[in-house]
Amino acid sequence: MTIRVLLADDQTLVREAFAMLVESAPDMQVVGQAATGRQAVELARTRRADLVVMDIRMPDLDGIEATRLIAADDDLAGVRVLVLTTYDSDEYIVDALRAGASGFLVKDTRPAELLDAIRTVAAGDSLLSPGPTARLIERFLRSPSAPATGGPECLSEREREVLALVARGLNNTEIAEVLGLSPLTAKTHVSRIMGKLSARDRAQLVIVAYESGVVTPGSI
């Protein structure tokens, strides 16, 4: 299956470089390029993109608002957003995840990593790694200005354990190893948690985990 990719960045050279890279992959196709957030939303609707590689800082409509519009559009329910960011704008990562992004990359990532990230997010997974990334998300979600949510009271104790491990960046196989489950059982738990919390993907589960306190400051 060919992954239909839409590139959104206000810098022409950046878009063209990404386009050349994406087109070099046999399983990907660039279906459009957008210089503004508003163009990204329009092209996502008309070009039938599977995934949008979205810059944050763009004129007309920034990448976060564009992501929010895409995520809120029922006609674009299958479109995933992979956000590009820089280390000097880390606070935008949480806003992007809240808006509906399924993952993020820094702009100086290696070419092979970008292609792998596109495949990961297009497959329905989230690009959220443990370590510095998790600590970064934790810092902003647990800050005094972060809005609180009601918490996952509807989850069982086992499901809360699984949710905490998802928030730490573990995949289904790793969760299974930690809890002594089969990978299929771990996957089933994750799917049920997403259903109970009406989460779009694993990225949204991370938001719930940190905002509700299932994962607490200093636990990673």
Side-chain angles (χ1 to χ4, degrees), residues 12 24 32 42 44 53 68 85 104 110 112 123 134 152 164 174 187 195 201 210:
T12 303
S24 72
E42 293 172 354
V53 178
R68 184 172 289 113
T85 185
F104 56 87
R110 290 178 296 179
E174 293 166 335
K187 180 179 180 180
D201 53 27
Y210 280 108

Side-chain angles (χ1 to χ4, degrees), residues 89-102:
S89 61
D90 287 337
E91 68 273 14
Y92 293 123
I93 293 174
V94 173
D95 291 336
L97 293 176
R98 285 197 180 109
S102 294

Side-chain angles (χ1 to χ4, degrees), residues 119-136:
R119 294 185 182 102
T120 297
V121 174
D125 294 324
S126 299
L127 194 71
L128 296 169
S129 60
T133 293
R135 286 194 294 272
L136 173 69

Side-chain angles (χ1 to χ4, degrees), residues 22 45 48 106 122 124 126-127 137 139 156 183 202 204 212:
V22 171
R45 290 171 176 155
R48 297 185 296 111
V106 292
S126 299
L127 194 71
I137 297 172
R139 187 170 86 246
S156 67
R202 294 172 82 100
Q204 300 301 303
S212 65

Side-chain angles (χ1 to χ4, degrees), residues 47-64:
R47 301 293 175 87
R48 297 185 296 111
D50 298 312
L51 180 142
V52 182
V53 178
M54 183 82 74
D55 187 23
I56 288 182
R57 296 179 177 177
M58 290 186 291
D60 185 20
L61 189 71
D62 66 35
I64 293 173

Side-chain angles (χ1 to χ4, degrees), residues 12 17-18 23 29 45 51-52 68 76 80 82 103 112 161 163 197-198 200 203 219-220:
T12 303
F18 284 162
E23 288 287 354
Q29 175 187 6
R45 290 171 176 155
L51 180 142
V52 182
R68 184 172 289 113
L76 299 177
R80 301 284 177 174
L82 176 62
E161 291 175 342
L163 177 60
L197 300 179
S198 300
R200 178 185 176 94
S219 62
I220 293 181

Side-chain angles (χ1 to χ4, degrees), residues 7-25:
L7 302 172
D9 195 296
D10 63 336
Q11 298 181 35
T12 303
L13 287 178
V14 173
R15 290 200 314 273
E16 292 296 338
F18 284 162
M20 291 177 62
L21 174 63
V22 171
E23 288 287 354
S24 72

